[in-house]
Structure formats: structure tokens, C-alpha cells
Amino acid sequence: MKRMKAQEEAKQKGNDAFKSGDYSKAIQYYTEGIEQDPKNRNVVSTLYANRAAAYMKAKKFQDALSDCNKAIELNDQYAKAYLRRGEIKMELGDYDGATIDFQQANQLDPSLGAHKRIRDANK
């Protein structure tokens, strides 16, 4: 229980740092959260996806891609992780891979607006 609370606190601190634009601090807090309780799959999956967003903002696309892969490996129903991975693949020029990820995100959660991104990737 203590580790779960510490993990949630690290996640919240990471979110706050991300919102304020301090991406390196956000990465640090998300990493701490992952290390607190690596067996808590759903929370760790979210932390990897959040850290991927911070890496994206910091233009560290390979690190972001790796974290999205880990998030999806832990939770293959996590639509936002597919969406984020598709965005990273767009940045890296992998438009076919991005399309596949956007389609998966759209299938899992149509409310995320991935259908527009599918069109962008196809262009």
C-alpha cells in the first residue's frame, strides 16, 4: 500500500511538472513511479505512456517510442499509448506504422479522434 501511494504521488508530481513544461523533471518523476512498484501493470503502463509524452516534448523520439512499446506490452488495450506511438512514428517518418497504431487506437477508443490522424498519416 505504501508503494502504491508513493507511485501515485510520483505520477502526480510528474503530471504537474509536465503541465508546467519541465519535461526533464516530469521524466524523473515518472521514472520514480515506475521503479516504486513495477508489478503494478496498469499504473506502470500509464507511467510509461506519460513518460513517453515527456520524451516527445523533449524531442527524444527513440526514448518515447521505447516507452510506448513498454506501455502497450503491459496493457495492449491502452488506446492512448497506441495514439501516442503513432504520433512518434509520424515524427520518425514511419507513416505506415503510424497508420496501424492510429487504427488500433481508433478501434479501442473512437473518442480519441484517431481517425483524423489516420488521414494525416496516409497523406
Side-chain angles (χ1 to χ4, degrees), residues 35-71:
E35 292 169 352
Q36 284 293 330
D37 188 5
K39 292 182 178 158
N40 189 348
R41 293 173 68 90
N42 283 337
V43 174
V44 172
S45 177
T46 301
L47 288 165
Y48 274 123
N50 289 0
R51 191 171 74 175
Y55 277 133
M56 281 178 62
K57 292 288 190 177
K59 306 282 188 221
K60 296 181 178 182
F61 298 114
Q62 290 299 327
D63 291 329
L65 182 63
S66 175
D67 274 4
C68 279
N69 290 337
K70 290 174 188 171

